[in-house]
């Protein structure tokens, strides 16, 4: 019975201590999960779990660990706030994924961000045609911020006078320079047709990083050679 009471008390203490720490560290920790917040959250969770259930470790030792972690996390937050270079190391920095409507393959490779992830992030923002995007930035918390091109900003179906039947679901045709033959076949398209469309651009299939048929059956291409010699520095 004594053991159950001890676990009950330790669990209550763990919850109360975590609530107190969350108050001290502020809303940033739960709203935007940066590198620093991610590490802090995992560490606090592990210590709190031991505080609640691991009777082999003294209660005072675990509370001391929580206090040390809280102080370190708070100091790192202060340092990140006052020092821009340290902020980049502690919290990370935004990465430009698209600039001027072009996909920046090198930047995506550096942060190990895939085309599938980019497509998903855009769809979650209601963007099914990649040609609508002017800039896309991967933020510190893993979210993608998007700036549409001028002609696509704040446009509704009523403004464009589009009938629902005029639109189709977008189809990816080439990813990472490789033709997706299954998508071509499922949509009544042929390899010869796609190769011909690519040749019209003066390119070969191997030159294409990404190609898709958009919601209005228009073809969208992004080539490995973007013609952008210097990208915007977000660091």
């Amino acid at each position: 019975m004594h053991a159950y009471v001890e676990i009950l008390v330790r669990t209550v203490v763990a919850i109360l201590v975590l609530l107190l720490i969350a108050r001290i560290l502020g809303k940033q920790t739960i709203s935007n999960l940066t590198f620093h917040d991610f590490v802090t959250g995992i560490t606090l969770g592990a210590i709190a779990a031991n505080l609640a259930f691991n009777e082999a470790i003294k209660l005072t030792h675990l509370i001391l660990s929580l206090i040390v972690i809280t102080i370190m996390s708070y100091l790192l937050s202060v340092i990140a706030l006052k020092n821009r270079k340290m902020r980049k190391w502690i919290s990370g920095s935004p990465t430009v994924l698209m600039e001027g409507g072009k996909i920046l393959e090198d930047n995506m490779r550096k942060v190990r961000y895939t085309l599938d992830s980019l497509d998903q992030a855009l769809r979650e923002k209601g963007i099914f045609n990649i040609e609508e995007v002017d800039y896309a930035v991967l933020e510190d918390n893993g979210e993608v911020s998007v700036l549409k091109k001028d002609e696509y900003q704040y446009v509704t179906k009523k403004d464009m006078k589009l009938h629902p039947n005029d639109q189709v679901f977008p189809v990816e045709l080439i990813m990472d320079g490789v033709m997706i033959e299954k998508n071509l076949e499922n949509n009544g398209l042929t390899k010869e047709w796609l190769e011909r469309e690519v040749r019209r651009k003066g390119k070969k299939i191997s030159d294409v990083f990404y190609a898709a048929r958009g919601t209005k059956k228009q073809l969208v291409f992004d080539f490995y050679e973007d013609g952008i010699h210097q990208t915007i520095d977000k660091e």
Side-chain angles (χ1 to χ4, degrees):
M1 186 67 181
H2 174 72
Y4 292 114
V5 173
E6 183 177 351
I7 290 175
L8 176 62
V9 172
R10 290 171 71 110
T11 303
V12 171
V13 171
I15 293 173
L16 293 176
V17 170
L18 284 179
L19 283 173
L20 177 62
I21 291 172
R23 283 284 185 181
I24 294 171
L25 296 181
K27 295 180 180 179
Q28 172 74 14
T29 305
I30 59 175
S31 62
N32 297 314
L33 201 62
T34 62
F35 294 152
H36 164 229
D37 300 322
F38 177 73
V39 171
T40 299
I42 288 179
T43 307
L44 288 175
I47 295 175
N50 279 286
L51 174 59
F53 301 109
N54 195 340
E55 299 177 38
I57 304 176
K58 289 184 178 180
L59 185 66
T60 52
H61 291 176
L62 290 168
I63 291 178
L64 178 61
S65 295
L66 285 172
I67 292 172
V68 172
I69 290 295
T70 303
I71 293 173
M72 284 188 61
S73 181
Y74 182 80
L75 289 176
L76 286 172
S77 297
V78 173
I79 293 171
L81 187 65
K82 295 182 178 295
N83 190 303
R84 189 171 183 270
K85 290 184 178 179
M86 288 299 296
R87 180 164 65 247
K88 174 188 171 185
W89 186 82
I90 293 170
S91 300
S93 58
T95 302
V96 179
L97 303 179
M98 292 184 66
E99 179 181 334
K102 304 292 185 181
I103 300 173
L104 305 182
E105 300 88 8
D106 290 339
N107 284 7
M108 292 182 64
R109 203 173 293 118
K110 286 177 184 177
V111 295
R112 293 173 293 282
Y113 202 80
T114 66
L115 271 174
D116 290 326
S117 297
L118 178 59
D119 283 339
Q120 178 182 340
L122 295 179
R123 287 195 298 269
E124 287 174 351
K125 295 183 179 297
I127 301 173
F128 285 78
N129 288 322
I130 201 168
E131 66 175 355
E132 297 179 17
V133 180
D134 196 8
Y135 289 90
V137 180
L138 181 63
E139 304 292 356
D140 299 341
N141 62 354
E143 294 290 328
V144 174
S145 299
V146 177
L147 175 65
K148 289 186 177 183
K149 295 176 182 176
D150 289 340
E151 61 267 33
Y152 293 106
Q153 291 188 24
Y154 306 107
V155 178
T156 65
K157 289 183 179 180
K158 183 178 179 180
D159 296 328
M160 299 174 66
K161 297 182 180 178
L162 283 177
H163 190 275
N165 294 333
D166 294 335
Q167 300 189 76
V168 296
F169 196 84
V171 180
E172 291 163 341
L173 305 176
I174 299 175
M175 292 187 75
D176 294 313
V178 178
M179 196 181 302
I180 307 175
E181 297 184 16
K182 185 177 180 180
N183 284 1
L184 288 169
E185 182 181 342
N186 290 343
N187 289 273
L189 306 174
T190 65
K191 293 169 57 177
E192 293 74 21
W193 167 81
L194 183 55
E195 288 171 348
R196 186 166 60 250
E197 294 297 326
V198 172
R199 283 198 300 270
R200 288 182 181 177
K201 299 284 185 180
K203 302 285 185 178
K204 299 177 294 185
I205 295 293
S206 58
D207 297 326
V208 183
F209 178 61
Y210 177 86
R213 189 182 69 176
T215 57
K216 292 183 286 184
K217 297 187 178 181
Q218 78 281 21
L219 284 176
V220 181
F221 292 101
D222 186 271
F223 303 103
Y224 281 104
E225 294 294 332
D226 292 323
I228 297 176
H229 302 292
Q230 185 173 0
T231 62
I232 291 177
D233 183 11
K234 293 294 292 181
E235 298 181 356

